[in-house]
Every structure is written in structure tokens, then in C-alpha cells.
Amino acid sequence: MSQQHWNNQASRVRLYHFPPLGSQGGDTAPATSPADYQRAVEQGYQEGMDQGREAGYQEGLEMGRKEGVSQGVAEGRNQGQAQAHQEMEQRLAPMIAPLTALQQLLREGHEQQLKGQQELILELVKRVAEQVVRCELTLHPQQIMSLIEETLAALPDGRTNPVIHLEPGVLATLTEVAADQVAQWELKADPTLGIGDVRVVTEECEADASTATRLDACMEQVAKHLVDDHGQGA
């Protein structure tokens, strides 16, 4: 085994100083004090607050802008519709006025026409009824007997000496066909009366049971029904 011998020469040997462990790998970082650390934390917090505030402001601004636009569109639409409706009414007003007048004129014309038709119908019904009554009384003059009895019954109590006025032809017919029945009454021919007319005159009062009076009462009921039917139909 060979032995190596160091030739220690004092002039050629130097002592080596190892660097501190914290200095390995680069420059030594400056030490941070607690005050600096606190300032850094506060600065970071403030910067975060500023950034968050700015971001919130921008977001709120954008949201408000969108809501404002939406609300503005809705209000503008409503105002536009109201204005358009008003302008349309103003334009239609001059045209509606003549139409309203025409409608009123047509309604009045229709009512007058309807009234004329009703009057014509009533007149026709009255004429037909008069012919039927005359024919009925001519064929059955005994029906005058019932009318005379009804008229006498309508007189107030205490009547004296009633005189029954009849149309001359009716009086002659009753004298022939019902002489026994009419013998109890005082009959008098009256050329002013029509067939079926009866007028009873006493010393106290007078009762008229003419055909025209009874027919007019019936026609009033017919006219009332015509008006009621027209009202329901309208």
C-alpha cells in the first residue's frame, strides 16, 4: 500500500470560509419588518377593495343601463300607443260625427216606418173586425139581446123608464125574430146608430154600448201588444 505524502507548504495553503446557509443560491433577501408587513397587507386590502368597488360599479352601471333601457322602451311604447290612439280618435272624430247623424236618421226613419206599419195593421184589423161584427149580427141578431141586457145591468140602481135606442134595421129584425123577448123593453129606432150599437137612456143617466166603442177598446189592447212585441224585438 503506497502512502501519499502531502507536501504542506505554508505559502501555498489558504483557509476556505463557507458562506452562511441563507446566502446559498443567490443574493440575500432583505429582512421584512412587522410594520412593513402590516402596510403591505393594508395596501393589498385597499387595492382589493378598490378593484372590487370598481368591478361592482361597472356591473351595477351595466345592469342599471339595461334596466333603464328596458323601462325606457316600455314607457316609450306606452306613450307612443297613447299618442297614436289620441291621434286616431282626432282623425276619426270628423268621420264619426256624420255616421252618428246618419245612424240617428236611419233609426228615426225605421221607427217612423214601423209606426206607420203598426197603424196600417191596426186599421186593417179594425176594418176586418167591423165587417165580421156586422156579418155576425146580421146572421144572428139575437146576440143584440145579450148586449142590451149587459148595458141595462151596467146602469146604476134606481133607474127609471129606460129607453133602448137601436139601429132601425136591427130593431125591425128583433121585432120579427124575438118579439116576445123585446116586448118587455121600450125600443126606439135611431138612424144615427150603426149595426150592433146600443144606447140606453133613462131619466137619470145614459149608457152607450156602441160597436165602435167596444171595438176601440179591443184595438187599444191590440196596439199595446204590437208595441210590446216591438220593444222586446228591439
Side-chain angles (χ1 to χ4, degrees), residues 98-152:
L99 293 177
T100 303
L102 178 60
Q103 183 181 10
Q104 181 66 23
L105 182 62
L106 292 175
R107 183 183 296 110
E108 293 177 356
H110 175 69
E111 292 177 353
Q112 292 178 357
Q113 181 181 8
L114 183 61
K115 184 178 179 180
Q117 291 175 352
Q118 291 176 348
E119 293 177 352
L120 178 60
I121 292 173
L122 291 175
E123 183 65 24
L124 292 176
V125 171
K126 184 176 181 179
R127 291 182 180 179
V128 172
E130 289 175 347
Q131 293 296 328
V132 171
V133 169
R134 290 193 181 96
C135 292
E136 185 66 18
L137 293 177
T138 301
L139 296 175
H140 303 91
Q142 296 86 350
Q143 294 184 3
I144 298 293
M145 303 288 294
S146 300
L147 182 58
I148 294 173
E149 293 175 352
E150 292 177 1
T151 306
L152 290 173

Side-chain angles (χ1 to χ4, degrees), residues 73-88:
V73 170
E75 292 179 355
R77 184 186 299 110
N78 294 335
Q79 292 178 358
Q81 291 177 351
Q83 183 176 358
H85 182 71
Q86 183 178 2
E87 292 178 356
M88 184 63 66

Side-chain angles (χ1 to χ4, degrees), residues 48-229:
M49 286 288 294
D50 294 340
Q51 293 177 0
R53 186 181 297 108
E54 180 65 20
Y57 171 78
Q58 294 297 331
E59 183 178 356
L61 181 63
E62 183 65 21
M63 184 179 299
R65 184 181 293 108
K66 291 181 180 179
E67 292 180 356
V69 170
S70 178
Q71 183 177 358
V73 170
E75 292 179 355
R77 184 186 299 110
N78 294 335
Q79 292 178 358
Q81 291 177 351
Q83 183 176 358
H85 182 71
Q86 183 178 2
E87 292 178 356
M88 184 63 66
E89 288 183 348
Q90 294 176 353
R91 293 180 180 179
L92 292 178
M95 294 184 289
I96 292 177
L99 293 177
T100 303
L102 178 60
Q103 183 181 10
Q104 181 66 23
L105 182 62
L106 292 175
R107 183 183 296 110
E108 293 177 356
H110 175 69
E111 292 177 353
Q112 292 178 357
Q113 181 181 8
L114 183 61
K115 184 178 179 180
Q117 291 175 352
Q118 291 176 348
E119 293 177 352
L120 178 60
I121 292 173
L122 291 175
E123 183 65 24
L124 292 176
V125 171
K126 184 176 181 179
R127 291 182 180 179
V128 172
E130 289 175 347
Q131 293 296 328
V132 171
V133 169
R134 290 193 181 96
C135 292
E136 185 66 18
L137 293 177
T138 301
L139 296 175
H140 303 91
Q142 296 86 350
Q143 294 184 3
I144 298 293
M145 303 288 294
S146 300
L147 182 58
I148 294 173
E149 293 175 352
E150 292 177 1
T151 306
L152 290 173
L155 293 174
D157 297 335
R159 63 187 184 277
T160 57
N161 302 324
V163 180
I164 302 171
H165 296 248
L166 297 173
E167 191 269 335
V170 173
L171 177 58
T173 302
L174 289 179
T175 303
E176 292 179 2
V177 301
D180 296 338
Q181 289 86 345
V182 299
Q184 57 180 326
W185 298 324
E186 182 181 354
L187 304 179
K188 184 177 181 179
D190 189 344
T192 63
L193 299 179
I195 298 175
D197 293 344
V198 176
R199 185 167 73 244
V200 179
V201 180
T202 68
E203 295 179 359
E204 296 82 13
C205 61
E206 179 178 342
D208 183 8
S210 65
T211 302
T213 301
R214 300 194 304 273
L215 188 58
D216 288 342
C218 294
M219 296 309 300
E220 288 180 1
Q221 296 298 322
V222 174
K224 181 179 179 181
H225 285 296
L226 286 176
V227 173
D228 292 342
D229 292 342

